[in-house]
Amino acid sequence: MEILEITLKSKNNPNVFLVKTDGGEYTLHSDSIVKFSIAKGQYDDEKFVEATLDSSQIIAFNLCVKYLNASIKTMRQVRDYLKKKNFEDVVIDLTINKLKDYNIIDDKNFATMYIRSNPNFSKMKLKQKLISFGVNSSTIDELLSEVDEYEACLNSGRKFLKSKPIDEAVMDKLNRHLYSQGFMWETIKNVMVDLISN
């Protein structure tokens, strides 16, 4: 293989370069260029493959750190994000393992925070949401065993009733609302009694 040209890919990112070879064009990170001594001229094919894999991992990891800066995500969300960015499966796996090693992604931590930030969700609704984010069932079940379903239903009921008159029509709507949120009839009945009496 012959490396024909190495140029900065974008002025916005001084660490990413476009490497033109007699076999095509490749995006390489500056760290990989230095690490593998990439320069114009003849270059070992196998070593270049290693350099491109190394570079893809660095770029993927850096993208994930920016992506995760806004809010924490699950492994599935990170995997989907990297797939949309067209990274190969091997790069995605290596990147996710590195993020886990650095405790940057942790599905149990994500689930714990999600449950805490939604104190008026039923266990059923929490489970559905967490499964959709890719958290495994055993982790969800473990965390949901600590959730007080009655308290969650009460919170949801209070939120619904805020600034509303407590009359038969409103209480009927509340009953249907709580059921649609995944609370059990027995829990709803007890909560309704408490809300009417307070």
Side-chain angles (χ1 to χ4, degrees), residues 34-55:
V34 172
K35 181 178 175 181
F36 290 89
S37 306
I38 304 290
K40 279 177 75 174
Q42 290 297 319
Y43 196 82
D44 180 83
D45 287 12
E46 272 186 48
K47 202 172 171 187
F48 192 79
V49 170
E50 283 182 56
T52 57
L53 179 60
D54 183 74
S55 184

Side-chain angles (χ1 to χ4, degrees), residues 41-170:
Q42 290 297 319
Y43 196 82
D44 180 83
D45 287 12
E46 272 186 48
K47 202 172 171 187
F48 192 79
V49 170
E50 283 182 56
T52 57
L53 179 60
D54 183 74
S55 184
S56 291
Q57 287 176 64
I58 294 168
I59 293 168
F61 183 81
N62 290 344
L63 279 172
C64 284
V65 170
K66 285 182 186 175
Y67 174 61
L68 293 163
N69 245 351
S71 63
I72 66 168
K73 305 283 191 296
T74 62
M75 280 185 279
R76 183 195 284 171
Q77 288 173 305
V78 172
R79 185 176 293 281
D80 291 345
Y81 171 75
L82 290 174
K83 279 186 177 177
K84 282 179 187 170
K85 295 287 183 183
N86 297 315
F87 285 98
E88 295 176 21
D89 287 344
V90 64
V91 173
I92 293 171
D93 290 341
L94 290 166
T95 303
I96 285 173
N97 287 337
K98 189 173 179 181
L99 289 165
K100 282 166 67 180
D101 289 343
Y102 282 100
N103 290 319
I104 296 172
I105 53 171
D106 181 334
D107 282 3
K108 187 172 184 178
N109 185 41
F110 174 92
T112 301
M113 290 179 70
Y114 187 84
I115 290 167
R116 282 185 192 152
S117 63
N118 293 286
N120 57 337
F121 280 13
S122 67
K123 287 186 180 185
M124 183 187 293
K125 186 171 182 178
L126 286 168
K127 185 163 189 169
Q128 287 170 344
K129 290 280 187 182
L130 290 170
I131 285 171
S132 76
F133 293 131
V135 181
N136 71 56
S137 290
S138 60
T139 299
I140 296 169
D141 292 341
E142 178 192 337
L143 294 172
L144 289 183
S145 67
E146 299 169 18
V147 171
D148 186 334
E149 182 85 341
Y150 178 83
E151 194 65 31
C153 189
L154 193 60
N155 288 336
S156 188
R158 285 178 178 146
K159 185 178 177 184
F160 181 87
L161 287 176
K162 196 172 183 181
S163 304
K164 289 187 181 81
I166 297 181
D167 58 31
E168 193 175 330
V170 169

Side-chain angles (χ1 to χ4, degrees), residues 27-40:
T27 300
L28 291 184
H29 193 275
S30 57
D31 289 356
S32 300
I33 288 172
V34 172
K35 181 178 175 181
F36 290 89
S37 306
I38 304 290
K40 279 177 75 174

